[in-house]
Amino acid sequence: MHKIAAIFGAAALILAGCAPGHEDQQMAETVTFADPWASAAEAGMTAVFGTLQNSGNHDAHIVSATSPTAEMVELHEVAADSGGTKTMRPKEDGFTVPASGEHALVPGGDHIMLMNLTAPLQPGADVEVTVVFEDGSSLPVRAQVRDFPGGKENYQPAKPHDHG
């Protein structure tokens, strides 16, 4: 009986030694945010851009973001309708940063939208944003505020507001 227990114990140690060390990593541990920047704004809303890079062996899925400089933060995309009009809208499924790949957040494309700013964002200042992954891990980011006129897209909120 002791011989069988010893064999199973040795097998468990061998298998544990063969397991890749990255399986237990949280998504935030494998993702970096290269060249993060935000568009300057006096009030209202603005966007955060940059390149999300994933060094991990699994896709990293971003589901939300927060910022102390905005009452609300949404993950957005810009899509053209059948007439070619570009509309900015919430990206319901969030952003996926592929394993060993990257996902660009760019004007006229995917971006993080800071809404109902709590203070003006002046060029040269920094804005704090925290990106949240589906596994609950988070990545704090400091984005430099830059002058940028924007893409002049129409905004389509996630849910229509009752104006009646």
Side-chain angles (χ1 to χ4, degrees):
M1 189 63 137
H2 292 292
K3 205 177 225 183
I4 293 172
I7 291 171
F8 279 117
L13 287 173
I14 291 169
L15 290 175
C18 293
H22 300 290
E23 295 301 319
D24 293 334
Q25 280 188 315
Q26 293 187 317
M27 292 179 186
E29 293 176 330
T30 66
V31 175
T32 56
F33 202 141
D35 193 28
W37 64 279
S39 180
E42 288 295 318
M45 59 181 151
T46 193
V48 176
F49 308 103
T51 303
L52 296 157
Q53 300 170 328
N54 183 357
S55 63
N57 297 324
H58 299 286
D59 292 352
H61 188 213
I62 297 169
V63 295
S64 66
T66 61
S67 176
T69 59
E71 292 177 12
M72 184 168 52
V73 180
E74 293 181 347
L75 306 180
H76 277 191
E77 66 182 344
V78 175
D81 65 15
S82 58
T85 302
K86 289 184 176 182
T87 301
M88 175 179 52
R89 62 185 180 207
K91 189 161 184 171
E92 300 300 330
D93 295 333
F95 307 139
T96 298
V97 187
S100 301
E102 59 185 41
H103 184 85
L105 303 181
V106 297
D110 289 351
H111 57 277
I112 298 170
M113 198 74 198
L114 306 179
M115 305 170 78
N116 301 328
L117 295 174
T118 58
L121 296 180
Q122 300 295 326
D126 287 336
V127 62
E128 301 292 330
V129 177
T130 300
V131 177
V132 181
F133 295 86
E134 73 180 344
D135 66 358
S137 63
S138 61
L139 175 67
V141 176
R142 182 181 302 248
Q144 182 186 56
V145 178
R146 300 178 186 169
D147 240 345
F148 179 74
K152 309 297 184 225
E153 302 91 2
N154 296 315
Y155 175 58
Q156 178 183 350
K159 297 180 181 111
H161 298 290
D162 182 16
H163 295 287

